[in-house]
Amino acid sequence: MEPLFQSTSLVQRAFWLVRLRWLAIATLAISAFAAREFFKISLPAQQLNILVIVLAVYNFLLYDLLKYLTWGGKNPSHKTISRMITFQISADLFILTAILHFSGGIENPFFFYFVFHMVIASILLTPRQSYLQATLALLLFGSLIFLEYNGTIPHYKLTGFVSHELYGDSLFVFGTFFVFATTLYLVVYMTTSISALLRERQQDYEQANQLLKQKDRLKNEYVLRLTHDIRGHLAAIESCLDIVNNRITGELNEKQADMIERALRRTSKCMMFVNALLKLTRMKMGGALELSFVPLKNIFFNTIAAVENKAEAKSIDLKYRIDDSIGEAEIYVEPVLIEEAISNLLLNAIKYTPEKGKVQLSAADQGDNILIEVSDTGIGVPPEEIDRLFEEFYRATNARKIERDGTGLGLSIVKQVIERHGGKVWAQNNPDGGSTFSFTLPKPPQETEKSPAS
Amino acid sequence: MGYGRILIVDDDPDITEAIKMVLENEGYSVESASDGTAGLEHIKKNRPDLVILDVMMNTIDEGFVLSRELKSNPRLKSIPILMITSIGQKTGIDFEEASGDETWLPVDGFLSKPVEAESLLSKVKTLLHEQ
């Protein structure tokens, strides 16, 4: 039988049981109090208080045990957790029986609370285990009412609640037990069949998901092979054209030179596109990142240096700023990729900002994250298109007017890089014109922040 | 040697330049426009003998729209249109067959990119009744 819950969510269910138990403890304490004070029903206060305390201690211990088992992202095995849940439910059955014993036995209608345990067992455990739990509940409750009936154990009378001595009435005891037993088994039967249906659905869903992943992988492999082939042909074309363009094959007249130049420019555009597609696809295909600690400052220096010329050519004021609190911070990233992402953003900003505009790269401290932003005084993004910017091949309508044949892949690459580093990326229009592209990078964990070399 | 005035409407400057070069080499006088609006204006003003039209410009069907507009205008109807595009390979639509259908693709000839000089010239000559 497949588990309905993966062990991580089973752990969550185990915590959920602990929370439910706090609720049950509170209900018990309050209803015992209310029964005594408001309804003048006689109850053995001492025994019930002891049970409340036992239940509370037991719940604390369970909570600690669960915390211990899941400490620091540890994922206990499915078996461990499922055993723990089985144990909890059985223990709860014992405790409920004890509570019932001290509060009237069969005369206390709270015995129907056994149904809750059955529902919980049927959801979390296998049908076999659920039926076993139902049988345990019936054995416990059955023994309780039988032993009280024949006087082996004392009966605590709920004076003020029932006027007759029902616990000694054989027909009443037998009839109640019969209805109770059928109820429990039916509840388990119904709930386990619904759970089984859910399990099936979950399996179907997981299979579909698996298939989807497989197909996506296939698609990526296909794109990779295709782009690789095209790249080979393009490289050959480029080399041949280059030879003619460099007059190695002889002088060119004006028209020839113009045509060759056009051809070369288009070839290199296509090459850029193919390279971007290769990069994006490789990144999507995964493989581990080559992470290392690098000062944020160095990343900023390198990216600024890489795009400075382009900014100067358009007399754009290119600045960068790092918050003092993270002025010396190191980030744990694959530097080449992060530099590529930032320079993609900077190059975009420069491309879509008119001459004499401003482009600023900044880093701010955000607690667990570092926020990196590239803002410009450029053309901005049409508001209805802002959500689609990071889609593959998508190009904003106003960007298309400035550069006719961009790849539409630059921002997709940025998104892939940042998300693979555990960050988020988004874009906004500035209130006073231009746009800001932002992304976060998680700070490295404190204890490993200082690399031995520094 | 050909004669006659030809207008190219295409937003790709390199394709425009390449076609221009082929046609000018044959003696045609060639002008160009980079979108549908400018193209229509030019046609109304100068009434060229042939229009060479690209499909995808600013919008995906700008060329279609322009060709329908020309063919529904009684004064401009008689100007032959040669449509050039790479869209056929993408969609699988057989433009060659559809061309000439007044309601669907009202053009007089069709060529797909990349355009070879020889087939371009032969189409142009046919449409200008030089052959």
Side-chain angles (χ1 to χ4, degrees):
Chain A
M1 170 67 66
E2 284 294 312
L4 180 55
F5 297 100
Q6 298 300 310
S7 53
T8 42
S9 57
L10 199 63
V11 166
Q12 283 165 7
R13 294 286 106 184
F15 276 111
W16 174 67
L17 276 186
V18 170
R19 284 198 300 276
L20 276 182
R21 199 170 292 106
W22 287 126
L23 200 67
I25 293 168
T27 312
L28 174 63
I30 291 168
S31 47
F33 177 78
R36 271 196 309 266
E37 297 301 315
F38 302 127
F39 301 107
K40 306 294 175 214
I41 298 169
S42 78
L43 281 171
Q46 202 187 349
Q47 283 91 331
L48 283 179
N49 286 342
I50 289 172
L51 277 174
V52 168
I53 290 164
V54 167
L55 206 51
V57 170
Y58 150 74
N59 211 25
F60 263 123
L61 287 177
L62 267 179
Y63 181 74
D64 280 347
L65 181 62
L66 273 174
K67 273 274 166 210
Y68 170 76
L69 284 173
T70 54
W71 188 255
K74 257 192 303 178
N75 200 3
S77 75
H78 191 267
K79 217 170 162 186
T80 315
I81 291 296
S82 132
R83 265 199 206 131
M84 221 172 124
I85 288 175
T86 311
F87 166 76
Q88 282 184 62
I89 293 173
S90 308
D92 287 341
L93 295 178
F94 275 99
I95 291 174
L96 180 56
T97 312
I99 293 167
L100 287 173
H101 171 58
F102 292 113
S103 57
I106 198 165
E107 287 159 10
N108 184 347
F110 273 101
F111 71 80
F112 264 98
Y113 274 28
F114 277 113
V115 170
F116 294 140
H117 298 83
M118 294 307 110
V119 172
I120 288 170
S122 307
I123 295 173
L124 298 182
L125 305 175
T126 63
R128 197 175 141 266
Q129 284 170 318
S130 312
Y131 283 113
L132 281 175
Q133 294 288 351
T135 311
L136 176 64
L138 289 173
L139 277 176
L140 289 169
F141 185 65
S143 319
L144 172 74
I145 59 180
F146 178 73
L147 294 176
E148 285 190 11
Y149 167 75
N150 73 5
T152 314
I153 54 172
H155 172 73
Y156 292 87
K157 198 166 175 254
L158 280 178
T159 317
F161 183 67
V162 277
S163 43
H164 304 290
E165 297 268 302
L166 289 170
Y167 77 99
D169 184 332
S170 59
L171 193 61
F172 177 77
V173 169
F174 178 75
T176 306
F177 185 73
F178 175 75
V179 173
F180 182 64
T182 48
T183 306
L184 284 201
Y185 281 126
L186 276 173
V187 162
V188 170
Y189 170 72
M190 288 173 185
T191 321
T192 47
S193 28
I194 294 170
S195 305
L197 199 73
L198 284 178
R199 274 191 192 101
E200 241 167 67
R201 289 259 173 83
Q202 172 128 345
Q203 257 172 297
D204 285 352
Y205 164 77
E206 256 156 38
Q207 259 171 18
N209 211 12
Q210 209 61 39
L211 198 70
L212 219 63
K213 273 189 193 150
Q214 207 182 322
K215 294 256 180 211
D216 193 53
R217 224 196 127 65
L218 220 62
K219 183 207 80 188
N220 283 337
E221 270 167 21
Y222 175 80
V223 172
L224 206 61
R225 178 165 307 174
L226 200 71
T227 6
H228 211 268
D229 277 2
I230 294 174
R231 197 172 184 275
H233 296 304
L234 271 180
I237 296 172
E238 206 169 17
S239 321
C240 293
L241 287 175
D242 206 50
I243 286 169
V244 179
N245 194 42
N246 285 325
R247 315 296 195 267
I248 293 168
T249 49
E251 271 311 308
L252 298 173
N253 67 33
E254 202 183 313
K255 280 184 174 177
Q256 287 168 332
D258 179 43
M259 281 289 123
I260 292 288
E261 246 167 59
R262 282 170 189 273
L264 264 173
R265 202 162 49 230
R266 294 301 282 266
T267 315
S268 81
K269 280 243 153 122
C270 192
M271 199 66 153
M272 263 159 62
F273 176 75
V274 162
N275 284 341
L277 196 57
L278 269 178
K279 207 176 284 168
L280 183 66
T281 312
R282 284 218 182 96
M283 202 122 57
K284 279 196 198 157
M285 304 252 309
L289 295 174
E290 286 172 26
L291 296 170
S292 58
F293 285 97
V294 264
L296 183 59
K297 234 171 19 187
N298 291 12
I299 299 263
F300 272 30
F301 282 146
N302 292 346
T303 45
I304 292 282
V307 303
E308 233 164 16
N309 287 342
K310 294 241 159 109
E312 238 163 70
K314 288 178 78 177
S315 318
I316 284 173
D317 177 19
L318 176 65
K319 276 195 194 127
Y320 79 93
R321 198 177 61 80
I322 302 181
D323 269 7
D324 288 342
S325 60
I326 48 170
E328 302 301 320
E330 289 193 332
I331 48 177
Y332 190 54
V333 295
E334 181 162 340
V336 187
L337 292 182
I338 293 297
E339 280 174 19
E340 160 125 21
I342 297 178
S343 44
N344 268 0
L345 292 178
L346 285 173
L347 286 173
N348 265 358
I350 293 168
K351 197 187 293 170
Y352 300 119
T353 297
E355 288 199 9
K356 299 199 171 70
K358 280 183 195 156
V359 170
Q360 176 167 286
L361 168 66
S362 64
D365 195 348
Q366 263 203 334
D368 290 341
N369 291 312
I370 289 176
L371 173 71
I372 295 175
E373 291 189 313
V374 173
S375 63
D376 61 46
T377 56
I379 58 172
V381 185
E384 66 277 8
E385 295 181 53
I386 212 153
D387 291 332
R388 299 195 57 194
L389 278 186
F390 294 92
E391 275 175 30
E392 278 158 47
F393 306 113
Y394 189 81
R395 299 198 62 223
T397 37
N398 56 350
R400 248 179 287 170
K401 281 185 190 133
I402 289 188
E403 193 193 30
R404 193 179 154 275
D405 36 23
T407 63
L409 291 175
L411 289 176
S412 310
I413 293 177
V414 173
K415 184 174 150 86
Q416 277 290 327
V417 167
I418 300 309
E419 286 181 355
R420 290 219 49 202
H421 281 85
K424 273 200 308 198
V425 56
W426 67 94
Q428 276 170 304
N429 280 320
N430 303 332
D432 49 350
S435 50
T436 300
F437 285 75
S438 319
F439 67 85
T440 55
L441 281 178
K443 281 185 189 169
Q446 282 302 321
E447 55 265 346
T448 45
E449 189 158 24
K450 288 277 161 277
S451 51
S454 67
Chain B
M1 285 298 271
Y3 56 92
R5 292 169 306 121
I6 299 176
L7 173 71
I8 306 170
V9 188
D10 193 329
D11 65 336
D12 186 325
D14 295 327
I15 297 275
T16 306
E17 194 55 37
I19 292 175
K20 209 173 182 175
M21 217 169 252
V22 171
L23 295 175
E24 277 175 349
N25 198 40
E26 283 294 305
Y28 296 104
S29 89
V30 185
E31 302 265 11
S32 65
S34 65
D35 62 49
T37 323
L40 186 62
E41 210 166 288
H42 186 278
I43 294 166
K44 280 181 176 160
K45 212 152 95 195
N46 304 308
R47 205 188 158 80
D49 300 311
L50 171 72
V51 176
I52 295 178
L53 195 53
D54 179 36
V55 178
M56 274 213 275
M57 285 176 278
N58 287 331
T59 59
I60 194 157
D61 58 352
E62 208 171 331
F64 287 150
V65 172
L66 181 58
S67 69
R68 280 180 202 159
E69 203 158 338
L70 289 180
K71 291 299 177 188
S72 63
N73 183 329
R75 261 179 5 93
L76 306 173
K77 213 173 158 173
S78 58
I79 303 173
I81 300 173
L82 173 59
M83 186 161 270
I84 297 182
T85 184
S86 53
I87 207 175
Q89 291 152 353
K90 220 189 235 173
T91 56
I93 298 171
D94 191 345
F95 282 98
E96 191 93 60
E97 200 146 277
S99 68
D101 180 336
E102 287 290 314
T103 52
W104 156 220
L105 187 57
V107 299
D108 304 275
F110 182 85
L111 276 177
S112 61
K113 288 179 186 174
V115 176
E116 284 164 25
E118 229 170 281
S119 45
L120 172 69
L121 283 175
S122 103
K123 278 269 180 194
V124 166
K125 277 176 186 156
T126 314
L127 291 176
L128 290 175
H129 305 294
E130 290 168 9
Q131 254 175 10

